[in-house]
Amino acid sequence: MSRRSNRTPNEAEGEAFELEQQNNRHLDSLASKVSALHSVSLNIHDDVNDQNRLLDNTSETFNRFGNMFDRTRQTLTHTMATAGSRFMCYLTLILVFGVFSLYYIAVNLLSRESDPPELT
């Protein structure tokens, strides 16, 4: 004979009630895990949308920079084509002077920052 046939109706109802409560606890646990997974997936979705917006903005910025660079190049090419060789000489001298000036300033600023302060 099986064990079930030896139980009284009250014992069977008690066991069924206990099993139902276990199922309810497991369902509550599963529901909380599904809720946590849902919130994580929403956070991932929001993060992906933010990153896509950032990439779009970066792409637009680079496109604007490229367009500005092209206009500058075209203007410089036009200026070089219409100007004489004297203009090229002046432009070259100004650029060389500017580079050396920036180098001199940078070297002097870096050497001052690396010297320890003097105590008097």
Side-chain angles (χ1 to χ4, degrees):
M1 292 178 99
S2 70
R3 290 175 67 186
R4 291 185 181 223
S5 61
N6 293 338
R7 285 186 270 179
T8 64
N10 287 339
E11 288 177 346
E13 286 177 12
E15 185 177 320
F17 181 73
E18 185 179 324
L19 289 174
E20 186 68 29
Q21 284 188 336
Q22 283 179 354
N23 283 342
N24 288 340
R25 283 192 299 269
H26 289 303
L27 284 174
D28 290 341
S29 173
L30 182 61
S32 68
K33 290 176 183 176
V34 167
S35 176
L37 183 61
H38 181 260
S39 76
V40 167
S41 66
L42 287 177
N43 289 340
I44 290 172
H45 181 264
D46 292 341
D47 190 40
V48 167
N49 285 338
D50 290 342
Q51 289 179 5
N52 283 338
R53 252 185 263 118
L54 178 68
L55 286 173
D56 289 342
N57 290 340
T58 304
S59 177
E60 289 174 13
T61 302
F62 276 111
N63 285 338
R64 283 193 305 251
F65 174 74
N67 291 338
M68 212 171 16
F69 184 75
D70 285 341
R71 283 194 310 264
T72 304
R73 183 184 51 80
Q74 289 171 355
T75 303
L76 185 61
T77 302
H78 176 70
T79 304
M80 292 299 176
T82 58
S85 61
R86 181 174 275 186
F87 176 77
M88 283 295 290
C89 182
Y90 290 143
L91 182 64
T92 303
L93 286 174
I94 291 171
L95 287 174
V96 169
F97 178 74
V99 168
F100 280 119
S101 298
L102 289 174
Y103 175 76
Y104 178 76
I105 291 170
V107 166
N108 284 336
L109 287 178
L110 290 176
S111 66
R112 279 190 204 145
E113 290 177 4
S114 63
D115 292 340
E118 294 182 22
L119 297 175
T120 56

